[in-house]
Amino acid sequence: FYKKAQGLSVSTGLVTNQAATDKKKEGLYTTSLSAAVSRGKFARNQIQGIENNQGPYRLRGAENELFIIVLSGTEKVYIDGRLLDRGQENDYIINYNTSEIIFTAKQLITKDKRIVVEFQYSDKNYARSLVHFGNDYEQEKLKINVHVYSEQDSKNQPLQQELTPQQKKILSQIGDTLSLAVFPSFDSIGFNNSEVLYFKTDTTIGSQTFANIFVYNTNADSAHYRVAFSNVGANKGNYRQINSSANGKVFQWVMPDTLTNIPQGNFEPIIQLISPKKKQMLTAGFEYAFSKKSILKVEGAVSNNDINTFSKENSNDDVGYGLKIVYDHFHTLNKGNLDSLKPKWTLHSNANYEYVQKYFSPIERYRNIEFERDWNRGAALQIDDQHIVGAGVTLTQQNTINIGYRFNAFLEGQIYNATKHFTNVSVSTKGFNLKYDGSLLNSEGAQRTNFYRHKTFISQSIKWLTIGVKDEFEDNKFSKTKKDSLLANSYKFWEWQAFAQNTDTTKNRYGIYYKNRVDYAVRYSSVNGTLNPAAIGESYGAFLDLNQHPNNQLKINVAYRELKIQDSILTLQKPDNSLVGRLEYNLRLLKGLLFMNTFYEIGSGLEIKKEFSYIEVAPGQGVYTWIDYNENGVKELNEFELAAFSDQARFIKVYTPTNEYIRTYSNQFSQTLMIKPAAIWGNKKGVKKLIARFANQVSYRVERRSNEDDISKAYNPFYSETNDSTLLTLNSLFRNTLFFNQLSPVFGLDITYQDVKNKTLLVNGFEARKNNYYEGRLRWNISQKFSFNASAKQGEKANSSQFFSSRDFVVTYYELEPKLNYQPSTSFRTTVSFKYTDKQNKLELGGQRAVLQDYGAELKYNVLNKGSFNLKANFIQIKFDGTQNTSLAFEMLDALRVGQNVTWGITYQRNLSNNLQLSLNYDGRKSDGVKAIHTGGAQVRAYF
């Protein structure tokens, strides 16, 4: 993301922007240790929600969505200036694997929400050292503090880039103009099938010749260029990304416009050189109490921010200064008395001054999250020295009345000057509450602004009921300096809400509300612009929390919003209906006879299209294996399968988000139900005792997103057919297990039905998988030494892909597996088994059939607190009437081959001490026509 912030989105032809992956590999130091050294760069940034999904950010909610790359646990999410709480039961959740923030039903996300996400991220470019020193001194009236902070890159120890002497020379010459730190990104290498490679050629079109064009190729004789492409913006590059089956991103050259010669792509074969940086700060301050009622606080800071330590050019802007002075005085107007006939009044006066030199660069944001908006400065960078002067008085009657007034002046040379008046009133007495906060801002700069706003809250408690109303009003007028004509960014809105809720919320909570918001935008007449109604939004909501009984709890929260467009010329928004809701219910009856948990949540938003590629890792550390089905020596996306053996597991699957979105309606549903008659009839006789031997557990979980216009289907959690064209993503699991004699040490039986479905929206189209089956399991302890286990399974597996039709199959299968165990003592056990499997693909897809017969034996020896030894061997006979080197064959043959197969393995574990364990393992397999494969490993574990 740091590269994106510099204006380039770097790709190596494999994945774009590794920050989402690097966050797992590299930690982030946020501690104030005296010294620390890290192999990573620390940085901080923030992004603001953008209406109509402009830019690479998205907010998952009713009308907008937000995408960010963030390090685990470091993000702060604000809505309308209020810090939100993370968690499924709170305001939002975050998926660190896909870098998505998803708001819960407690937050109805609309165009009106002001959303800011502040996050920390790590960008490993140089070895980095960090030093912090702090010292505090405190006396009776005096407090003094001094802090020093320094973090710097080691420019001679790059981590993610190997800088050539020519690249270092470029960095040493550009000073602080980092946009010039670009360099051609192609490199001639030998052919290999693990990368996306190109060959370089010249192309002649008409009378024009275009030189040094890179063309994707899989020919070992010509594909010798590794090229990294950077996103330079629309119509600024000569390449564009195309869909391909290659294991990575593929870019294609496009011809510039023949008339204007303007490029028609957005990528170029260049990279952004990352410069080493240094950031330092010294702060010193004191607090002096002249008396118990008068306090003076002073703090000064000096910063040193060098964004390119390779160059001494432009160093005059590295050092900056800051100063803050605050004086508070409290004066009691009357002492009051014990019976409150004369309540105590206190006058609090305050004066403050803040100076920020234009080159001052703080380590972290120290101002209010909406500081720029509060002062109508937009997102403009600081150009001149800033002075903020303020004074205010507050009159307080103990715990009842509070009246305050404050004046502030913001001066920034000739660039920006403003004055702001702020007043607040609060009254609380006998169940009546009143709060008013209002401000008036006048500013002069590139634009003249007049900004009035207020928030009001009034409520009255009447016995068990509290009723109230609150409103928010903003009137923000922008005009050219010394002119009265309104500019297009002027706006006004009035939002009011009426509500009723119960007063005592210690056990149960319930309430309803109605909200109305009118937005105004500028309409131009022949003379001046005026603010006219553009859109009206109406919201209805209710909540109910029943928490009084611990065995029966219910929580419901629902909100509906309708957006009506008053004037389509004044807004780009479209009429919209948004609905969010959540239901949570927990029930426990009759001492545990029945336990039930229900969760259901609905909403709407946007779904991102994803790309994926496979990255090679150390053997045994991956999940997937590569099989060269077409024998062209090139790794293609449809040639990777889930590894069946550890030696094959050499690849992981990495998803990369794109900037393509589809409007969706989403619902999440989770239901568990457990019935245990033994909880009440365990000691009974007769029919009740027989019934007590049974138990049943049901679980169903689904997360579904679709663009279905029919709300009855869009929000139906039980409608989950994967071949539905309106279904975009799906993760579904249904499982029901009926137990008989679950707690019996002699005999037990359970019957399970399971149905798993998932569907993913990719750039290349949809990919869907499903697996459903019935399974019965029997256990029988024949005697003290012999036991018998058996399982039988009947099911169906299916896979479908829009882009790779060769991976489509629907396989019906049957399995039968009996096992006989002999255990003469607690330390020794031997098992013999037989497994028969019959699989057949759907006739329309080929009708291939496979029969597998697996004869197995296993021996295990275990010594308590010392270790264990395990030996196993299997002989598998396979018959198959289809082509072997295909994705279907890999699935049906369990990664083995037709004919006779033998697998074996040895595992040895030894406890070396109370907290140290040694593990040795060896696995082998042999199939007809191929050599035996041997895999071994050793591992030492330490327990703390």
Side-chain angles (χ1 to χ4, degrees):
F1 192 86
Y2 183 80
K3 298 180 180 67
K4 285 187 178 180
Q6 299 298 323
L8 294 173
S9 178
V10 177
S11 169
T12 63
L14 200 58
V15 292
T16 297
N17 201 327
Q18 285 287 335
T21 303
D22 290 342
K23 68 183 177 60
K24 299 179 181 178
K25 304 175 183 177
E26 188 65 38
L28 179 67
Y29 287 94
T30 57
T31 180
S32 58
L33 297 177
S34 58
V37 178
S38 169
R39 294 175 60 82
K41 179 186 182 303
F42 312 114
R44 191 171 183 89
N45 207 336
Q46 68 178 34
I47 49 182
Q48 299 185 7
I50 301 177
E51 291 186 10
N52 303 320
N53 303 295
Q54 300 171 357
Y57 320 126
R58 68 192 187 106
L59 295 173
R60 171 156 297 170
E63 295 172 11
N64 291 317
E65 296 212 353
L66 171 65
F67 168 75
I68 67 170
I69 294 173
V70 65
L71 287 175
S72 177
T74 63
E75 84 288 342
K76 292 183 179 179
V77 182
Y78 300 83
I79 288 186
D80 298 342
R82 183 178 69 86
L83 180 64
L84 302 185
D85 295 321
R86 182 177 59 187
Q88 184 73 54
E89 72 282 3
N90 295 315
D91 300 299
Y92 74 96
I93 60 175
I94 183 166
N95 185 332
Y96 292 111
N97 291 323
T98 59
S99 302
E100 292 177 310
I101 288 179
I102 303 172
F103 294 99
T104 67
K106 289 188 175 182
Q107 294 295 333
L108 178 60
I109 305 301
T110 70
K111 69 175 183 60
D112 308 321
K113 299 293 185 180
R114 303 188 303 273
I115 300 176
V116 175
V117 178
E118 187 180 56
F119 59 96
Q120 293 177 323
Y121 60 93
S122 176
D123 195 7
K124 301 185 300 179
N125 295 303
Y126 299 88
R128 166 158 287 250
S129 61
L130 183 151
V131 178
H132 172 261
F133 166 80
N135 194 19
D136 296 308
Y137 172 78
E138 185 173 348
Q139 209 180 37
E140 183 179 354
K141 292 186 176 183
L142 179 65
K143 297 179 181 179
I144 300 176
N145 64 82
V146 178
H147 291 266
V148 177
Y149 178 89
S150 177
E151 56 177 342
Q152 47 275 318
D153 289 330
S154 178
K155 62 183 180 182
N156 295 319
Q157 297 184 46
L159 298 178
Q160 289 193 131
Q161 53 182 350
E162 291 295 332
L163 297 177
T164 65
Q166 186 178 1
Q167 291 172 335
K168 291 181 179 179
K169 184 177 180 181
I170 291 176
L171 289 172
S172 67
Q173 294 174 340
I174 62 172
D176 291 348
T177 311
L178 300 184
S179 60
L180 300 178
V182 294
F183 196 78
S185 63
F186 56 89
D187 184 23
S188 178
I189 63 172
F191 177 81
N192 67 82
N193 60 9
S194 299
E195 299 184 59
V196 174
L197 298 179
Y198 298 79
F199 76 90
K200 187 166 62 172
T201 184
D202 297 337
T203 297
T204 300
I205 301 178
S207 60
Q208 288 185 288
T209 299
F210 301 91
N212 298 329
I213 294 174
F214 293 99
V215 179
Y216 168 65
N217 195 288
T218 59
N219 192 328
D221 297 331
S222 56
H224 296 302
Y225 283 93
R226 175 195 292 142
V227 188
F229 290 87
S230 298
N231 190 341
V232 294
N235 300 117
K236 294 182 179 180
N238 291 291
Y239 293 81
R240 63 187 176 191
Q241 185 181 348
I242 62 173
N243 290 337
S244 170
S245 62
N247 184 34
K249 295 179 181 293
V250 176
F251 297 87
Q252 183 183 67
W253 180 82
V254 293
M255 182 180 176
D257 186 274
T258 55
L259 297 177
T260 63
N261 206 35
I262 295 177
Q264 299 301 297
N266 55 344
F267 286 88
E268 274 293 294
I270 59 175
I271 58 172
Q272 174 84 53
L273 300 178
I274 306 302
S275 63
K277 298 172 176 60
K278 177 173 65 177
K279 196 159 193 175
Q280 300 171 316
M281 179 173 288
L282 167 66
T283 65
F286 73 88
E287 177 181 323
Y288 184 76
F290 297 98
S291 65
K292 294 183 179 180
K293 299 180 179 180
S294 298
I295 301 174
L296 175 66
K297 300 177 183 179
V298 179
E299 183 176 15
V302 57
S303 68
N304 178 26
N305 184 32
D306 189 349
I307 62 176
N308 182 9
T309 59
F310 267 121
S311 178
K312 295 183 179 179
E313 302 291 332
N314 310 126
S315 297
N316 59 307
D317 61 353
D318 290 352
V319 179
Y321 305 92
L323 175 67
K324 191 169 185 177
I325 302 174
V326 178
Y327 176 74
D328 289 288
H329 179 72
F330 299 87
H331 178 65
T332 302
L333 301 180
N334 67 317
K335 296 183 178 180
N337 57 26
L338 295 177
D339 59 8
S340 299
L341 295 178
K342 293 182 179 180
K344 182 178 178 179
W345 288 87
T346 302
L347 182 66
H348 172 209
S349 56
N350 169 274
N352 61 82
Y353 169 71
E354 181 179 319
Y355 165 71
V356 180
Q357 200 248 354
K358 62 180 179 180
Y359 299 135
F360 181 72
S361 178
I363 301 297
E364 293 187 358
R365 175 184 52 79
Y366 64 95
R367 285 170 167 168
N368 182 280
I369 192 67
E370 291 198 321
F371 176 85
E372 286 76 15
R373 182 178 186 274
D374 292 342
W375 287 94
N376 262 347
R377 291 193 73 255
L381 297 175
Q382 182 178 343
I383 300 176
D384 208 336
D385 296 352
Q386 293 180 350
H387 303 266
I388 301 178
V389 183
V393 293
T394 302
L395 184 62
T396 303
Q397 184 192 75
Q398 56 189 47
N399 302 322
T400 304
I401 301 176
N402 186 291
I403 303 173
Y405 168 78
R406 172 170 292 280
F407 171 81
N408 286 97
F410 191 137
L411 310 175
E412 189 176 347
Q414 301 299 317
I415 304 301
Y416 177 86
N417 293 283
T419 59
K420 182 161 66 172
H421 305 268
F422 178 83
T423 183
N424 66 286
V425 177
S426 66
V427 178
S428 179
T429 178
K430 297 181 180 180
F432 174 78
N433 287 279
L434 166 66
K435 292 182 180 180
Y436 170 85
D437 293 315
S439 65
L440 175 63
L441 170 72
N442 291 284
S443 69
E444 295 279 354
Q447 298 176 346
R448 170 182 289 182
T449 73
N450 179 271
F451 185 15
Y452 168 75
R453 60 177 175 173
H454 75 252
K455 291 182 179 180
T456 307
F457 175 87
I458 303 174
S459 70
Q460 176 65 59
S461 298
I462 306 173
K463 295 183 179 180
W464 54 271
L465 182 66
T466 298
I467 58 175
V469 63
K470 54 184 177 181
D471 84 322
E472 182 176 358
F473 176 81
E474 291 191 8
D475 186 358
N476 201 354
K477 296 183 176 66
F478 292 81
S479 61
K480 294 182 179 180
T481 303
K482 298 181 180 180
K483 293 186 179 180
D484 294 328
S485 179
L486 294 180
L487 298 177
N489 55 341
S490 300
Y491 71 90
K492 180 171 70 173
F493 74 81
W494 182 43
E495 179 180 283
W496 63 272
Q497 175 180 333
F499 65 90
Q501 62 187 46
N502 65 315
T503 302
D504 183 8
T505 60
T506 57
K507 295 182 179 180
N508 298 325
R509 295 177 61 249
Y510 48 88
I512 58 173
Y513 68 85
Y514 168 78
K515 183 186 296 185
N516 182 287
R517 174 176 172 129
V518 182
D519 287 280
Y520 298 79
V522 176
R523 172 183 285 276
Y524 289 99
S525 62
S526 58
V527 182
N528 292 320
T530 58
L531 290 170
N532 291 271
I536 297 178
E538 291 185 296
S539 302
Y540 308 84
F543 62 90
L544 172 66
D545 290 353
L546 302 179
N547 301 315
Q548 187 171 2
H549 199 291
N551 293 329
N552 190 358
Q553 296 182 338
L554 174 66
K555 295 182 180 180
I556 299 176
N557 183 37
V558 62
Y560 172 76
R561 181 177 187 270
E562 182 180 5
L563 179 65
K564 303 175 183 178
I565 304 303
Q566 299 296 104
D567 193 332
S568 59
I569 298 177
L570 301 182
T571 178
L572 296 176
Q573 295 289 333
K574 303 297 182 182
D576 190 24
N577 297 322
S578 303
L579 175 66
V580 296
R582 172 192 281 188
L583 181 147
E584 298 175 75
Y585 182 56
N586 295 307
L587 177 65
R588 186 176 183 272
L589 294 178
L590 301 175
K591 301 179 181 181
L593 168 68
L594 183 146
F595 174 79
M596 184 175 69
N597 175 270
T598 305
F599 176 85
Y600 178 51
E601 186 174 70
I602 60 174
S604 58
L606 298 177
E607 178 66 20
I608 192 172
K609 289 185 177 181
K610 299 175 183 177
E611 298 172 316
F612 68 91
S613 57
Y614 295 90
I615 309 297
E616 188 167 3
V617 296
Q621 301 299 311
V623 180
Y624 295 87
T625 184
W626 171 57
I627 303 175
D628 191 8
Y629 290 133
N630 56 15
E631 299 181 351
N632 66 350
V634 178
K635 294 181 176 68
E636 297 174 318
L637 293 178
N638 60 335
E639 296 180 337
F640 290 86
E641 308 287 352
L642 285 170
F645 303 100
S646 61
D647 63 282
Q648 297 177 332
R650 303 174 63 96
F651 295 87
I652 60 173
K653 193 174 187 178
V654 178
Y655 283 98
T656 306
T658 68
N659 288 333
E660 297 183 56
Y661 306 93
I662 294 180
R663 175 65 186 236
T664 66
Y665 297 94
S666 63
N667 69 73
Q668 294 184 61
F669 180 79
S670 175
Q671 176 71 65
T672 59
L673 175 65
M674 184 69 184
I675 301 176
K676 296 178 67 175
I680 58 174
W681 291 341
N683 298 323
K684 301 296 183 179
K685 297 181 179 181
V687 176
K688 292 183 179 180
K689 185 174 182 63
L690 176 62
I691 296 176
R693 292 177 179 269
F694 290 89
N696 194 79
Q697 183 176 11
V698 183
S699 62
Y700 177 60
R701 178 174 177 81
V702 62
E703 183 176 356
R704 181 177 185 274
R705 300 188 187 114
S706 71
N707 57 4
E708 173 65 65
D709 293 330
D710 186 348
I711 299 299
S712 64
K713 293 183 179 179
Y715 290 144
N716 183 356
F718 304 104
Y719 185 75
S720 57
E721 186 57 45
T722 57
N723 60 7
D724 184 354
S725 60
T726 65
L727 182 62
L728 302 179
T729 63
L730 172 71
N731 286 289
S732 167
L733 168 63
F734 175 81
R735 182 182 179 91
N736 184 90
T737 303
L738 176 65
F739 301 94
F740 178 73
N741 268 3
Q742 185 180 14
L743 303 179
S744 172
V746 178
F747 176 81
L749 174 68
D750 58 78
I751 301 174
T752 299
Y753 172 73
Q754 181 166 301
D755 187 1
V756 180
K757 299 177 182 178
N758 63 71
K759 186 176 183 179
T760 306
L761 175 64
L762 304 171
V763 172
N764 294 334
F766 295 109
E767 186 172 274
R769 296 181 68 92
K770 62 181 180 179
N771 182 15
N772 61 80
Y773 61 84
Y774 292 91
E775 182 179 23
R777 289 183 173 272
L778 170 70
R779 58 178 178 83
W780 177 28
N781 292 326
I782 303 172
S783 66
Q784 190 174 2
K785 297 181 180 181
F786 287 94
S787 63
F788 177 76
N789 298 82
S791 66
K793 182 187 291 188
Q794 175 187 352
E796 182 181 89
K797 280 185 179 181
N799 187 88
S800 62
S801 174
Q802 279 188 310
F803 194 69
F804 301 117
S805 59
S806 61
R807 301 177 65 87
D808 293 352
F809 61 80
V810 179
V811 175
T812 303
Y813 61 95
Y814 309 90
E815 292 180 2
L816 179 64
E817 184 177 14
K819 289 183 179 181
L820 181 64
N821 304 297
Y822 172 66
Q823 186 169 349
S825 66
T826 57
S827 60
F828 179 81
R829 185 184 68 189
T830 182
T831 302
V832 292
S833 64
F834 171 72
K835 182 178 180 180
Y836 178 84
T837 306
D838 189 326
K839 302 180 181 181
Q840 183 167 11
N841 192 20
K842 195 174 182 179
L843 291 177
E844 292 85 346
L845 299 175
Q848 297 88 341
R849 184 184 179 191
V851 177
L852 294 82
Q853 300 181 66
D854 185 346
Y855 304 85
E858 182 177 2
L859 182 149
K860 185 170 184 179
Y861 181 72
N862 180 72
V863 179
L864 185 64
N865 297 327
K866 289 187 177 181
S868 64
F869 175 82
N870 185 271
L871 173 65
K872 61 180 180 179
N874 293 79
F875 174 73
I876 307 107
Q877 282 188 317
I878 300 179
K879 296 180 180 180
F880 181 59
D881 58 5
T883 305
Q884 288 198 58
N885 195 31
T886 62
S887 176
L888 173 65
F890 187 88
E891 171 69 33
M892 297 184 70
L893 305 183
D894 293 341
L896 296 173
R897 296 178 65 86
V898 174
Q900 298 179 351
N901 301 266
V902 181
T903 65
W904 61 91
I906 301 174
T907 302
Y908 174 70
Q909 285 188 345
R910 177 72 177 179
N911 296 327
L912 303 179
S913 64
N914 291 334
N915 60 350
L916 200 63
Q917 184 184 77
L918 171 67
S919 298
L920 302 174
N921 63 79
Y922 161 70
D923 291 290
R925 68 181 184 276
K926 175 70 172 69
S927 300
D928 283 347
V930 297
K931 295 181 179 180
I933 298 175
H934 305 274
T935 305
Q939 186 179 72
V940 177
R941 295 181 181 177
Y943 299 95
F944 299 96

